[in-house]
Amino acid sequence: MSNSDQARVQEQNLSPDKVMHKLVSLAKRRGFIFPSSEIYGGLSSCFDYGPLGSEMKKNVKDLWWTSMTRRHQNIVGIDASIMMNPTVWEASGHVASFNDPMIDDRTTKRRYRADHLIENHIGKLVRDGKESQAAAVKVAYEAAAGTDDPNRTLYEIITTEGIKAPDTGSGDWTEVRQFNLMFQCNMGAVADSAGIVYLRPETAQGIFVNFHNVRESSRMKVPFGIAQIGKAFRNEIVKGNFIFRMVEFEQMEMQYFVKPGTQTEAFEAWREERINWYTESLGISRGKLHWYKHDKLAHYADLAYDIKFEFPFGIEEIEGIHSRTDFDLSQHQQYSGKNMEYIDQTTNERYIPYVVETSAGADRLFLALLSDAYREDVVDGEPRVMLKLSPKVAPVKAAILPLMKKGEMGERADRLCSELSQNFLVQYDDAASIGKRYRRQDEIGTPFCFTVDHQTLEDGTVTVRYRDTAAQERIDISKTSEFLATSLMKA
Ligand code: GAP
């Protein structure tokens, strides 16, 4: 940015709590995200992606898919069904262990995650300088899983520590109970236990059960990966923070099958590749991304890290990277009776591969991108809202704005719009002053505006106006397509 551009754009500071409120409002007003079935009062933690939201989400998913499959000769994609044979979920451990510990407040009738209450309490003790008390609670909390009655242990920590509900201050607690997060449905005409199927709580199992199908049909040799994007469902009791925690959401998962003993090396390589993807492909600020190493591991993992993002409401997970050992394939071998071993053709070794998993949430990432991009600044003395999205992620790549809608100017703009729309999502806008039209595009993150004006009719050039700096330059109208293609490639 040149000095004169800097003088034109002055960024404003925003408090994080205001950003969330403004994002939710912008998302609805401009067609990114609507509450689900809104005319009936909505449904808790369910949302619909509008015209711009669905374009942007598709861009994110396409970027992930390309980075995983096209850029790796040894990774292929699948699209497995959401409903699977219910034994899959017994084998995977989800029927027995995919639980959250819940506690109810008798007075307010509100329900809470017992583990969250304790973790927040530990955080508060640390912030208040009560380090030794925090450490003692942490030890008891981490030991809970190994006790005869973990629920009782959690209950005792909550009551002994006098932990209250964060929203109401009440603490009239029931016992702690385990609550399974999987949604059950009935398949077939009769609603009995024989017809119970589950909506998948993760996409990963569709990959594990297809291990041999994919390996054989695609002639894959270990190490190789299988990638998938799809819906997952969890009956989350604690909801909120817009699309951060939903009951229906989309995952982008990749399972990388490796020879036992090589998993740590693969894990570290994927850790590096995944964090770089966020900064290099999506343009997310590195300073807002954080690593978190899990002390408490899921039932299938021997090592796990989260990539967390600084949301306006706190630092929270957007992707998990897990070393899943041979747990899943071994379990499916045991429950299905089918051999899940891999035979190395060159050495004749037989083994059940270990798995390194990268598991990102498309919706959480969408929210991270929106909040990372949200800006309020002043351009030439006029306030504006801007989404500083990477051009690759932005739903609309360019706007075509004729200075006057009638006559030759309008026709040239119309023709330019038709030509560019062969390859890019562009918007034609001839309503209101040019300043207002720029603001409308800034607010949805459109990186470039092409203005067709009097000079266009004389010399065949248009103005390119850059979203971030509000700087302008002229280029030949015939070069606009090439300009967009090059800008997107470089972004
Ligand atoms: N297969 C492993 C697995 O599912 P996870 O950490 O439970 O791991 C992976 O989920 C990612 O899925 C999370 O990092 C998050 O981005 C997303 N995710 C999980 N639960 C979610 C929810 N209720 N709403 C939105 N996204 C969610």
PDB file of all heavy atoms in Angstrom, residues 289-311:
ATOM      1  N   LEU A 289      -3.922 -18.050  15.191  1.00  0.00           N
ATOM      2  CA  LEU A 289      -3.985 -19.519  15.258  1.00  0.00           C
ATOM      3  C   LEU A 289      -3.081 -20.013  16.384  1.00  0.00           C
ATOM      4  O   LEU A 289      -1.977 -19.491  16.575  1.00  0.00           O
ATOM      5  CB  LEU A 289      -3.524 -20.132  13.930  1.00  0.00           C
ATOM      6  CG  LEU A 289      -4.395 -19.813  12.712  1.00  0.00           C
ATOM      7  CD1 LEU A 289      -3.692 -20.245  11.428  1.00  0.00           C
ATOM      8  CD2 LEU A 289      -5.756 -20.509  12.809  1.00  0.00           C
ATOM      9  N   HIS A 290      -3.547 -21.013  17.112  1.00  0.00           N
ATOM     10  CA  HIS A 290      -2.782 -21.516  18.256  1.00  0.00           C
ATOM     11  C   HIS A 290      -2.817 -23.043  18.271  1.00  0.00           C
ATOM     12  O   HIS A 290      -3.829 -23.645  17.905  1.00  0.00           O
ATOM     13  CB  HIS A 290      -3.403 -21.028  19.574  1.00  0.00           C
ATOM     14  CG  HIS A 290      -3.464 -19.533  19.660  1.00  0.00           C
ATOM     15  ND1 HIS A 290      -2.462 -18.777  20.208  1.00  0.00           N
ATOM     16  CD2 HIS A 290      -4.416 -18.664  19.242  1.00  0.00           C
ATOM     17  CE1 HIS A 290      -2.786 -17.500  20.129  1.00  0.00           C
ATOM     18  NE2 HIS A 290      -3.970 -17.401  19.550  1.00  0.00           N
ATOM     19  N   TRP A 291      -1.730 -23.646  18.743  1.00  0.00           N
ATOM     20  CA  TRP A 291      -1.698 -25.095  18.942  1.00  0.00           C
ATOM     21  C   TRP A 291      -2.141 -25.438  20.359  1.00  0.00           C
ATOM     22  O   TRP A 291      -1.806 -24.724  21.300  1.00  0.00           O
ATOM     23  CB  TRP A 291      -0.276 -25.635  18.746  1.00  0.00           C
ATOM     24  CG  TRP A 291       0.122 -25.758  17.320  1.00  0.00           C
ATOM     25  CD1 TRP A 291       1.086 -25.030  16.680  1.00  0.00           C
ATOM     26  CD2 TRP A 291      -0.403 -26.669  16.349  1.00  0.00           C
ATOM     27  NE1 TRP A 291       1.177 -25.431  15.372  1.00  0.00           N
ATOM     28  CE2 TRP A 291       0.274 -26.434  15.141  1.00  0.00           C
ATOM     29  CE3 TRP A 291      -1.401 -27.661  16.374  1.00  0.00           C
ATOM     30  CZ2 TRP A 291       0.013 -27.151  13.982  1.00  0.00           C
ATOM     31  CZ3 TRP A 291      -1.665 -28.369  15.205  1.00  0.00           C
ATOM     32  CH2 TRP A 291      -0.971 -28.109  14.035  1.00  0.00           C
ATOM     33  N   TYR A 292      -2.858 -26.529  20.494  1.00  0.00           N
ATOM     34  CA  TYR A 292      -3.235 -27.014  21.829  1.00  0.00           C
ATOM     35  C   TYR A 292      -3.025 -28.526  21.856  1.00  0.00           C
ATOM     36  O   TYR A 292      -3.593 -29.253  21.036  1.00  0.00           O
ATOM     37  CB  TYR A 292      -4.708 -26.674  22.110  1.00  0.00           C
ATOM     38  CG  TYR A 292      -5.252 -27.344  23.341  1.00  0.00           C
ATOM     39  CD1 TYR A 292      -4.959 -26.857  24.608  1.00  0.00           C
ATOM     40  CD2 TYR A 292      -6.039 -28.496  23.233  1.00  0.00           C
ATOM     41  CE1 TYR A 292      -5.449 -27.496  25.740  1.00  0.00           C
ATOM     42  CE2 TYR A 292      -6.534 -29.141  24.361  1.00  0.00           C
ATOM     43  CZ  TYR A 292      -6.227 -28.630  25.605  1.00  0.00           C
ATOM     44  OH  TYR A 292      -6.694 -29.269  26.720  1.00  0.00           O
ATOM     45  N   LYS A 293      -2.182 -28.976  22.784  1.00  0.00           N
ATOM     46  CA  LYS A 293      -1.909 -30.419  22.886  1.00  0.00           C
ATOM     47  C   LYS A 293      -2.873 -31.020  23.910  1.00  0.00           C
ATOM     48  O   LYS A 293      -3.013 -30.498  25.018  1.00  0.00           O
ATOM     49  CB  LYS A 293      -0.472 -30.643  23.346  1.00  0.00           C
ATOM     50  CG  LYS A 293      -0.057 -32.093  23.380  1.00  0.00           C
ATOM     51  CD  LYS A 293       1.452 -32.195  23.633  1.00  0.00           C
ATOM     52  CE  LYS A 293       1.945 -33.605  23.443  1.00  0.00           C
ATOM     53  NZ  LYS A 293       1.954 -34.430  24.587  1.00  0.00           N
ATOM     54  N   HIS A 294      -3.524 -32.113  23.521  1.00  0.00           N
ATOM     55  CA  HIS A 294      -4.508 -32.745  24.428  1.00  0.00           C
ATOM     56  C   HIS A 294      -3.811 -33.560  25.517  1.00  0.00           C
ATOM     57  O   HIS A 294      -2.957 -34.376  25.205  1.00  0.00           O
ATOM     58  CB  HIS A 294      -5.400 -33.711  23.644  1.00  0.00           C
ATOM     59  CG  HIS A 294      -6.505 -33.030  22.937  1.00  0.00           C
ATOM     60  ND1 HIS A 294      -7.802 -33.086  23.369  1.00  0.00           N
ATOM     61  CD2 HIS A 294      -6.516 -32.247  21.839  1.00  0.00           C
ATOM     62  CE1 HIS A 294      -8.555 -32.375  22.552  1.00  0.00           C
ATOM     63  NE2 HIS A 294      -7.802 -31.857  21.618  1.00  0.00           N
ATOM     64  N   ASP A 295      -4.200 -33.312  26.769  1.00  0.00           N
ATOM     65  CA  ASP A 295      -3.750 -34.208  27.853  1.00  0.00           C
ATOM     66  C   ASP A 295      -4.755 -35.350  27.970  1.00  0.00           C
ATOM     67  O   ASP A 295      -4.403 -36.506  28.127  1.00  0.00           O
ATOM     68  CB  ASP A 295      -3.700 -33.453  29.189  1.00  0.00           C
ATOM     69  CG  ASP A 295      -2.664 -32.349  29.148  1.00  0.00           C
ATOM     70  OD1 ASP A 295      -1.657 -32.544  28.455  1.00  0.00           O
ATOM     71  OD2 ASP A 295      -2.884 -31.290  29.768  1.00  0.00           O
ATOM     72  N   LYS A 296      -6.048 -34.966  27.902  1.00  0.00           N
ATOM     73  CA  LYS A 296      -7.121 -35.978  27.979  1.00  0.00           C
ATOM     74  C   LYS A 296      -7.434 -36.419  26.552  1.00  0.00           C
ATOM     75  O   LYS A 296      -7.903 -35.619  25.748  1.00  0.00           O
ATOM     76  CB  LYS A 296      -8.389 -35.315  28.560  1.00  0.00           C
ATOM     77  CG  LYS A 296      -8.660 -35.659  30.022  1.00  0.00           C
ATOM     78  CD  LYS A 296      -9.853 -34.900  30.542  1.00  0.00           C
ATOM     79  CE  LYS A 296     -11.163 -35.378  29.951  1.00  0.00           C
ATOM     80  NZ  LYS A 296     -12.305 -34.540  30.316  1.00  0.00           N
ATOM     81  N   LEU A 297      -7.177 -37.682  26.234  1.00  0.00           N
ATOM     82  CA  LEU A 297      -7.336 -38.126  24.841  1.00  0.00           C
ATOM     83  C   LEU A 297      -8.667 -38.831  24.616  1.00  0.00           C
ATOM     84  O   LEU A 297      -9.195 -39.473  25.536  1.00  0.00           O
ATOM     85  CB  LEU A 297      -6.196 -39.069  24.476  1.00  0.00           C
ATOM     86  CG  LEU A 297      -4.815 -38.394  24.408  1.00  0.00           C
ATOM     87  CD1 LEU A 297      -3.701 -39.416  24.455  1.00  0.00           C
ATOM     88  CD2 LEU A 297      -4.708 -37.554  23.139  1.00  0.00           C
ATOM     89  N   ALA A 298      -9.195 -38.720  23.382  1.00  0.00           N
ATOM     90  CA  ALA A 298     -10.407 -39.463  23.011  1.00  0.00           C
ATOM     91  C   ALA A 298     -10.088 -40.960  23.050  1.00  0.00           C
ATOM     92  O   ALA A 298      -8.907 -41.352  23.025  1.00  0.00           O
ATOM     93  CB  ALA A 298     -10.860 -39.058  21.619  1.00  0.00           C
ATOM     94  N   HIS A 299     -11.161 -41.772  23.066  1.00  0.00           N
ATOM     95  CA  HIS A 299     -10.943 -43.212  23.258  1.00  0.00           C
ATOM     96  C   HIS A 299     -10.080 -43.852  22.177  1.00  0.00           C
ATOM     97  O   HIS A 299      -9.515 -44.904  22.372  1.00  0.00           O
ATOM     98  CB  HIS A 299     -12.296 -43.947  23.376  1.00  0.00           C
ATOM     99  CG  HIS A 299     -13.168 -43.817  22.167  1.00  0.00           C
ATOM    100  ND1 HIS A 299     -14.055 -42.784  21.993  1.00  0.00           N
ATOM    101  CD2 HIS A 299     -13.292 -44.591  21.054  1.00  0.00           C
ATOM    102  CE1 HIS A 299     -14.689 -42.932  20.842  1.00  0.00           C
ATOM    103  NE2 HIS A 299     -14.255 -44.019  20.254  1.00  0.00           N
ATOM    104  N   TYR A 300      -9.953 -43.229  21.021  1.00  0.00           N
ATOM    105  CA  TYR A 300      -9.229 -43.854  19.915  1.00  0.00           C
ATOM    106  C   TYR A 300      -7.796 -43.326  19.734  1.00  0.00           C
ATOM    107  O   TYR A 300      -7.054 -43.828  18.912  1.00  0.00           O
ATOM    108  CB  TYR A 300     -10.005 -43.642  18.605  1.00  0.00           C
ATOM    109  CG  TYR A 300     -10.435 -42.194  18.371  1.00  0.00           C
ATOM    110  CD1 TYR A 300      -9.511 -41.221  18.032  1.00  0.00           C
ATOM    111  CD2 TYR A 300     -11.767 -41.821  18.506  1.00  0.00           C
ATOM    112  CE1 TYR A 300      -9.891 -39.921  17.833  1.00  0.00           C
ATOM    113  CE2 TYR A 300     -12.165 -40.513  18.305  1.00  0.00           C
ATOM    114  CZ  TYR A 300     -11.220 -39.569  17.972  1.00  0.00           C
ATOM    115  OH  TYR A 300     -11.612 -38.271  17.781  1.00  0.00           O
ATOM    116  N   ALA A 301      -7.412 -42.258  20.466  1.00  0.00           N
ATOM    117  CA  ALA A 301      -6.175 -41.556  20.105  1.00  0.00           C
ATOM    118  C   ALA A 301      -5.031 -41.800  21.082  1.00  0.00           C
ATOM    119  O   ALA A 301      -5.239 -42.037  22.270  1.00  0.00           O
ATOM    120  CB  ALA A 301      -6.465 -40.067  20.016  1.00  0.00           C
ATOM    121  N   ASP A 302      -3.769 -41.763  20.550  1.00  0.00           N
ATOM    122  CA  ASP A 302      -2.613 -41.802  21.451  1.00  0.00           C
ATOM    123  C   ASP A 302      -1.844 -40.490  21.425  1.00  0.00           C
ATOM    124  O   ASP A 302      -0.882 -40.301  22.157  1.00  0.00           O
ATOM    125  CB  ASP A 302      -1.706 -43.003  21.145  1.00  0.00           C
ATOM    126  CG  ASP A 302      -0.989 -42.881  19.805  1.00  0.00           C
ATOM    127  OD1 ASP A 302      -1.280 -41.935  19.049  1.00  0.00           O
ATOM    128  OD2 ASP A 302      -0.145 -43.746  19.517  1.00  0.00           O
ATOM    129  N   LEU A 303      -2.256 -39.585  20.545  1.00  0.00           N
ATOM    130  CA  LEU A 303      -1.647 -38.252  20.480  1.00  0.00           C
ATOM    131  C   LEU A 303      -2.629 -37.346  19.748  1.00  0.00           C
ATOM    132  O   LEU A 303      -3.212 -37.754  18.745  1.00  0.00           O
ATOM    133  CB  LEU A 303      -0.322 -38.331  19.704  1.00  0.00           C
ATOM    134  CG  LEU A 303       0.467 -37.048  19.492  1.00  0.00           C
ATOM    135  CD1 LEU A 303       0.924 -36.437  20.813  1.00  0.00           C
ATOM    136  CD2 LEU A 303       1.716 -37.334  18.626  1.00  0.00           C
ATOM    137  N   ALA A 304      -2.830 -36.152  20.242  1.00  0.00           N
ATOM    138  CA  ALA A 304      -3.798 -35.269  19.581  1.00  0.00           C
ATOM    139  C   ALA A 304      -3.456 -33.807  19.832  1.00  0.00           C
ATOM    140  O   ALA A 304      -3.092 -33.428  20.948  1.00  0.00           O
ATOM    141  CB  ALA A 304      -5.210 -35.563  20.092  1.00  0.00           C
ATOM    142  N   TYR A 305      -3.550 -33.035  18.770  1.00  0.00           N
ATOM    143  CA  TYR A 305      -3.394 -31.587  18.851  1.00  0.00           C
ATOM    144  C   TYR A 305      -4.608 -30.932  18.218  1.00  0.00           C
ATOM    145  O   TYR A 305      -5.162 -31.462  17.252  1.00  0.00           O
ATOM    146  CB  TYR A 305      -2.176 -31.126  18.055  1.00  0.00           C
ATOM    147  CG  TYR A 305      -0.864 -31.189  18.796  1.00  0.00           C
ATOM    148  CD1 TYR A 305      -0.150 -32.389  18.873  1.00  0.00           C
ATOM    149  CD2 TYR A 305      -0.319 -30.062  19.390  1.00  0.00           C
ATOM    150  CE1 TYR A 305       1.066 -32.456  19.532  1.00  0.00           C
ATOM    151  CE2 TYR A 305       0.896 -30.117  20.052  1.00  0.00           C
ATOM    152  CZ  TYR A 305       1.589 -31.309  20.118  1.00  0.00           C
ATOM    153  OH  TYR A 305       2.790 -31.377  20.774  1.00  0.00           O
ATOM    154  N   ASP A 306      -4.978 -29.779  18.732  1.00  0.00           N
ATOM    155  CA  ASP A 306      -6.007 -28.975  18.070  1.00  0.00           C
ATOM    156  C   ASP A 306      -5.360 -27.744  17.466  1.00  0.00           C
ATOM    157  O   ASP A 306      -4.411 -27.194  18.043  1.00  0.00           O
ATOM    158  CB  ASP A 306      -7.048 -28.451  19.082  1.00  0.00           C
ATOM    159  CG  ASP A 306      -7.945 -29.561  19.592  1.00  0.00           C
ATOM    160  OD1 ASP A 306      -8.004 -30.618  18.942  1.00  0.00           O
ATOM    161  OD2 ASP A 306      -8.577 -29.345  20.638  1.00  0.00           O
ATOM    162  N   ILE A 307      -5.909 -27.313  16.328  1.00  0.00           N
ATOM    163  CA  ILE A 307      -5.595 -25.963  15.852  1.00  0.00           C
ATOM    164  C   ILE A 307      -6.736 -25.102  16.358  1.00  0.00           C
ATOM    165  O   ILE A 307      -7.908 -25.382  16.068  1.00  0.00           O
ATOM    166  CB  ILE A 307      -5.491 -25.898  14.315  1.00  0.00           C
ATOM    167  CG1 ILE A 307      -4.346 -26.786  13.832  1.00  0.00           C
ATOM    168  CG2 ILE A 307      -5.297 -24.458  13.855  1.00  0.00           C
ATOM    169  CD1 ILE A 307      -4.205 -26.869  12.321  1.00  0.00           C
ATOM    170  N   LYS A 308      -6.387 -24.091  17.153  1.00  0.00           N
ATOM    171  CA  LYS A 308      -7.425 -23.216  17.702  1.00  0.00           C
ATOM    172  C   LYS A 308      -7.315 -21.838  17.069  1.00  0.00           C
ATOM    173  O   LYS A 308      -6.228 -21.420  16.648  1.00  0.00           O
ATOM    174  CB  LYS A 308      -7.276 -23.105  19.212  1.00  0.00           C
ATOM    175  CG  LYS A 308      -7.558 -24.418  19.938  1.00  0.00           C
ATOM    176  CD  LYS A 308      -7.767 -24.190  21.413  1.00  0.00           C
ATOM    177  CE  LYS A 308      -8.219 -25.474  22.101  1.00  0.00           C
ATOM    178  NZ  LYS A 308      -8.811 -25.211  23.402  1.00  0.00           N
ATOM    179  N   PHE A 309      -8.448 -21.160  17.023  1.00  0.00           N
ATOM    180  CA  PHE A 309      -8.503 -19.826  16.416  1.00  0.00           C
ATOM    181  C   PHE A 309      -9.033 -18.828  17.438  1.00  0.00           C
ATOM    182  O   PHE A 309      -9.901 -19.167  18.250  1.00  0.00           O
ATOM    183  CB  PHE A 309      -9.430 -19.875  15.183  1.00  0.00           C
ATOM    184  CG  PHE A 309      -9.646 -18.521  14.570  1.00  0.00           C
ATOM    185  CD1 PHE A 309      -8.685 -17.958  13.740  1.00  0.00           C
ATOM    186  CD2 PHE A 309     -10.804 -17.793  14.839  1.00  0.00           C
ATOM    187  CE1 PHE A 309      -8.880 -16.690  13.201  1.00  0.00           C
ATOM    188  CE2 PHE A 309     -10.999 -16.532  14.300  1.00  0.00           C
ATOM    189  CZ  PHE A 309     -10.037 -15.983  13.468  1.00  0.00           C
ATOM    190  N   GLU A 310      -8.516 -17.624  17.376  1.00  0.00           N
ATOM    191  CA  GLU A 310      -8.976 -16.568  18.302  1.00  0.00           C
ATOM    192  C   GLU A 310     -10.293 -15.990  17.817  1.00  0.00           C
ATOM    193  O   GLU A 310     -10.317 -15.004  17.078  1.00  0.00           O
ATOM    194  CB  GLU A 310      -7.937 -15.450  18.363  1.00  0.00           C
ATOM    195  CG  GLU A 310      -6.889 -15.660  19.428  1.00  0.00           C
ATOM    196  CD  GLU A 310      -5.881 -14.515  19.458  1.00  0.00           C
ATOM    197  OE1 GLU A 310      -6.303 -13.339  19.429  1.00  0.00           O
ATOM    198  OE2 GLU A 310      -4.699 -14.816  19.488  1.00  0.00           O
ATOM    199  N   PHE A 311     -11.397 -16.610  18.215  1.00  0.00           N
ATOM    200  CA  PHE A 311     -12.724 -16.066  17.888  1.00  0.00           C
ATOM    201  C   PHE A 311     -12.979 -14.860  18.789  1.00  0.00           C
ATOM    202  O   PHE A 311     -12.328 -14.718  19.838  1.00  0.00           O
ATOM    203  CB  PHE A 311     -13.799 -17.130  18.158  1.00  0.00           C
ATOM    204  CG  PHE A 311     -13.816 -18.255  17.156  1.00  0.00           C
ATOM    205  CD1 PHE A 311     -13.206 -19.468  17.433  1.00  0.00           C
ATOM    206  CD2 PHE A 311     -14.461 -18.095  15.933  1.00  0.00           C
ATOM    207  CE1 PHE A 311     -13.217 -20.506  16.512  1.00  0.00           C
ATOM    208  CE2 PHE A 311     -14.478 -19.129  15.003  1.00  0.00           C
ATOM    209  CZ  PHE A 311     -13.859 -20.334  15.303  1.00  0.00           C
TER     210      PHE A 311
END
